Structures are given as C-alpha cells and as structure tokens.
Amino acid sequence: MESINKKYYKIRDVSEFLGVPPATIRYWEREFPELSPDRTSTGLRQYTPSDIETLRIIHYLIKTKGLKIEAAKTQFRQNRNNITKRLKVISELQDLRSELEVMLMTLTKRR
C-alpha cells in the first residue's frame, strides 16, 4: 500500500489503496460505527490516516480472513489491538519480501 502522508483522502483514493469499490467502503461505514469520516460542507467524505487504518483492519477481517460482517464486527471490537499488530507485521514482511526480490533480480542479472 502506498505511503499515507496527507491529512485527508477522498473515497476514490481510499478505494484505490484498498482495492475495493467506493460502494464497499460506504457499506462498511454503515456497518461499523467506529468508522465515520469527516465531511466537507458539500457532503464529500474526507478520510484521515486513522480512518484508513480502521478500513485496513476491516478489509483484512472481511476480505483476507473471509469473515462474515457480524463476525468481523465482533473481532474488530474485541481484538483490534492484536489485529493492528498482525497487520503491521504482515506489512513489514511484505516490504522485506519486496526488497529480497529486488536483490534476487539484481543478483540474477549479474550472472
């Protein structure tokens, strides 16, 4: 996932980060009261990095682990800290894998 360094993101940007349609994000907003992005005066959603982290957790529970929405809600409320730690480790391992793949490609080209 790209680096998150802006104060606010549009739903389209968040949709691209997560690889899900904007309609899915809007649905998750209705199902998870913990997720409530700010809105502009014209009603456009503005997601903070914290909102995106919440969405990443929801995405992990529903899309990666395959939980139904009710089970995901329960896990989210009961185990958020452990899930956040797990996502951090997964992200670090993915970054490490990418670095190793680049090294391997570089070594392969030298032969």
Side-chain angles (χ1 to χ4, degrees):
M1 186 166 134
E2 286 181 38
S3 175
I4 298 174
N5 52 18
K6 293 195 299 189
K7 188 174 180 179
Y8 291 107
Y9 292 85
K10 296 177 182 178
I11 194 167
R12 180 185 70 237
D13 299 330
V14 177
S15 170
E16 289 174 9
F17 285 153
L18 297 174
V20 298
T24 300
I25 295 171
R26 290 190 292 271
Y27 172 72
W28 289 345
E29 283 177 30
R30 289 190 301 274
E31 293 296 322
F32 291 85
E34 300 85 356
L35 179 62
S36 58
D38 295 334
R39 291 190 180 246
T40 65
S41 59
T42 58
L44 295 175
R45 291 168 172 83
Q46 292 184 315
Y47 295 89
T48 63
S50 175
D51 294 327
I52 295 171
E53 182 61 28
T54 299
L55 281 164
R56 286 183 68 227
I57 293 169
I58 294 167
H59 181 273
Y60 171 75
L61 292 171
I62 295 172
K63 298 292 184 180
T64 304
K65 287 189 76 175
L67 297 179
K68 302 283 184 199
I69 196 78
E70 290 305 319
K73 286 180 187 180
T74 301
Q75 281 292 309
F76 184 86
R77 291 184 183 108
Q78 292 178 350
N79 207 10
R80 183 176 180 160
N81 287 336
N82 286 338
I83 296 167
T84 301
K85 289 175 188 174
R86 183 174 294 151
L87 282 173
K88 183 177 181 197
V89 169
I90 289 169
S91 177
E92 289 172 358
L93 288 171
Q94 288 171 335
D95 291 346
L96 180 60
R97 181 180 185 158
S98 295
E99 289 177 33
L100 289 171
E101 287 173 345
V102 168
M103 289 175 167
L104 182 60
M105 286 176 52
T106 303
L107 287 172
T108 303
K109 286 181 181 178
R110 288 185 174 197
R111 290 184 182 182

